[in-house]
């Protein structure tokens, strides 16, 4: 009943976020049930590999659920204020938001399960029989256990992403501990250097003789364990370096004696770097990996049995949705600042130009990190 009352106050953005979460969960549930059907029809046909291929879309749904849940307190402060006035504490607010995300995933998974059971009832053709495991008894616990992963991962991600009680609207945020500043600055370059060293070690002549080469799935060739580990560490370092790079780019824009346009753009980018860093880093990483895979398949057309188009579309859609959600969150947070500048007589054209300049600066930073990630990925593949 409580969720029905909350749904009565949904806006278009809230309803769209809820439907996107349910749709993404339904697609991931379809991947899991397809892996189950294949395991039933071909017990010795690499069931573990098919389940591992379900992890990227499952992680994408969890990531989108986390970003969407984090945007609720910032986008709907009146909703948090009303729940607080009704006696809900920070823990209960976090549970309510996480439960809302998990409920959307449960409904999407149940819809997919219903379609799966209907198709197994001698409705699907012979081409889909191996995908559904037709003709083999279906253990009741198997689909329930698999589909429970989707709302569990999304709910836990949402609960972990909701801000603590002190940072909810109407409360004062705790001051950051200054002791972690140098560590945060030194960690990304250190990871990047370690990853580059490992990748160069794995790409040296004769590296394949040190250990058994790893054959990558989806026809992406082979690589050495050291090269693959080095690429993963270097990609993590580049991802962690995105937020500091955005901060330094904003400071560079506002350096010297800037004009009002550069000052607004630089100060705005510096203030937004912490919120935008992680989603933009995931976006650049995903785009770099997909572009590298497409380039490899174009060069070797015989290996194009790669990732399914639906899985690629789901991952890209979740990442883009997370970026747009975070941008909307930043826009809502800057609404009071924008209103104050307009009251002081700032021209709307100046504010629009500052937004364009911030976007261009952030895009240049993403081209740098994404290009390096793609180059490292292309080097790790053989």
């Amino acid at each position: 009943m409580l969720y029905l009352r909350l749904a009565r106050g949904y806006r278009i953005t809230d309803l769209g976020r809820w439907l996107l979460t349910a749709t993404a969960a339904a697609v991931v549930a379809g991947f899991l049930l397809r892996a189950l059907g294949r395991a039933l029809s071909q017990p010795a046909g690499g069931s573990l590999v098919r389940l591992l291929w379900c992890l990227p879309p499952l992680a994408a749904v969890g990531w989108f659920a986390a970003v969407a849940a984090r945007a609720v307190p910032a986008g709907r402060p009146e909703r948090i204020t009303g729940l607080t006035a009704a006696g809900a504490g920070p823990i209960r607010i976090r549970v309510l938001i996480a439960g809302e995300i998990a409920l959307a995933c449960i409904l999407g998974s149940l819809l997919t399960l219903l379609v799966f059971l209907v198709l197994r009832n001698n409705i699907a053709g012979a081409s889909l029989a191996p995908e559904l495991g037709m003709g083999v008894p279906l253990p009741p616990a198997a689909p329930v256990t698999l589909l429970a992963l989707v709302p569990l991962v999304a709910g836990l991600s949402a609960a972990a992403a909701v801000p603590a009680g002190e940072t909810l609207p109407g409360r004062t945020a705790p001051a950051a501990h200054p002791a972690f500043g140098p560590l945060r600055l030194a960690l990304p370059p250190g990871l990047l250097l370690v990853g580059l060293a490992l990748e160069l070690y794995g790409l040296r002549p004769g590296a394949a003789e040190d250990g058994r080469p790893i054959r990558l799935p989806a026809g992406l060739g082979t690589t050495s364990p050291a090269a693959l580990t080095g690429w993963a560490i270097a990609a993590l370092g580049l991802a962690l370096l995105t937020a500091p790079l955005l901060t330094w780019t904003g400071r560079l824009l506002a350096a010297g004696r800037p004009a009002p346009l550069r000052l607004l753009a630089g100060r705005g980018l510096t203030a937004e770097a912490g919120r935008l860093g992680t989603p933009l880093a995931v976006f650049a990483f995903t785009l770099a990996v997909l572009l590298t895979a497409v380039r490899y398949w174009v060069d070797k057309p015989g290996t194009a049995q790669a990732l399914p188009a639906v899985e690629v579309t789901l991952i890209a859609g979740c990442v883009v949705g997370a970026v747009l959600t975070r941008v909307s969150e930043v826009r809502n947070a800057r609404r009071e600042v924008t209103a104050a500048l307009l009251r002081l007589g700032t021209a709307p054209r100046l504010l629009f130009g500052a937004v364009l300049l911030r976007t261009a600066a952030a895009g240049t930073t993403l081209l740098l990190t994404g290009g390096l990630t793609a180059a490292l990925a292309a080097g790790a593949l053989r």
Side-chain angles (χ1 to χ4, degrees):
M1 291 299 295
L2 178 59
Y3 286 115
L4 292 178
R5 293 179 181 178
L6 293 177
R8 290 176 58 187
Y10 271 6
R11 299 173 181 172
I12 296 297
T13 54
D14 299 324
L15 183 60
R17 184 189 68 245
W18 196 89
L19 290 177
L20 284 176
T21 306
T23 303
V27 176
V28 176
F31 291 150
L32 292 171
L33 291 177
R34 175 182 176 273
L36 175 62
R38 279 284 187 176
L40 292 175
S41 58
Q42 301 175 3
S47 304
L48 180 59
V49 175
R50 283 190 289 269
L51 281 177
L52 289 178
W53 269 112
C54 298
L55 289 182
L58 182 61
V61 171
W63 167 248
F64 178 73
V67 176
R70 185 179 178 85
V72 171
R76 299 295 300 274
E78 70 280 359
R79 179 176 172 182
I80 304 300
T81 304
L83 289 174
T84 304
I91 297 179
R92 188 178 180 187
I93 291 176
R94 177 175 294 187
V95 171
L96 286 174
I97 296 176
E100 179 181 344
I101 298 293
L103 181 60
C105 294
I106 289 174
L107 292 179
S109 301
L110 288 179
L111 178 62
T112 302
L113 178 60
L114 178 62
V115 174
F116 179 77
L117 295 177
V118 169
L119 291 178
R120 274 179 56 90
N121 193 19
N122 294 327
I123 293 180
S127 60
L128 291 179
E131 311 291 336
L132 303 174
M134 293 178 59
V136 182
L138 180 66
V144 174
T145 303
L146 281 179
L147 296 186
L149 290 175
V150 184
L152 182 63
V153 170
L156 290 178
S157 302
V162 175
E166 293 79 8
T167 57
L168 288 174
R171 302 173 185 263
T172 57
H177 200 290
F180 293 99
L183 179 61
R184 288 178 178 176
L185 289 177
L187 182 61
L191 289 175
L192 180 58
L193 292 176
V194 171
L196 287 174
L198 276 176
E199 185 168 352
L200 290 175
Y201 176 79
L203 293 177
R204 76 190 194 285
E209 300 174 359
D210 296 345
R212 185 177 180 182
I214 297 177
R215 180 171 294 279
L216 298 175
L220 290 180
T222 59
T223 186
S224 65
L228 186 61
T229 305
W231 172 80
I233 295 176
L236 178 61
L238 284 172
L240 295 177
L241 197 60
T242 301
L245 283 178
L246 290 175
T247 303
W248 297 334
T249 304
R251 292 178 179 176
L252 184 62
L253 281 177
R257 296 181 178 179
L261 179 63
R262 283 203 300 121
L263 180 63
L264 287 175
R267 293 289 177 86
L269 185 58
T270 302
E272 298 164 2
R275 290 182 177 179
L276 292 176
T278 304
L280 291 180
V282 175
F283 175 77
F285 174 80
T286 305
L287 186 61
V289 172
L290 293 180
L291 289 179
T292 303
V294 170
R295 182 196 62 80
Y296 195 91
W297 298 328
V298 169
D299 293 343
K300 299 183 179 182
T303 62
Q305 54 203 20
L307 284 169
V310 178
E311 185 171 353
V312 173
T313 304
L314 174 66
I315 295 175
C318 288
V319 173
V320 172
V323 172
L324 294 179
T325 303
R326 186 57 59 86
V327 170
S328 176
E329 179 185 348
V330 170
R331 182 183 178 186
N332 291 331
R334 292 186 57 85
R335 187 172 296 171
E336 295 181 1
V337 177
T338 304
L341 289 173
L342 290 175
R343 285 196 303 268
L344 291 174
T346 306
R349 175 185 290 181
L350 179 61
L351 296 178
F352 183 71
V355 172
L356 290 181
L357 186 56
R358 281 201 308 270
T359 304
T364 303
T365 305
L366 285 183
L367 285 177
L368 174 63
T369 56
L372 285 176
T373 305
L376 293 174
L381 299 180
R382 292 172 180 248

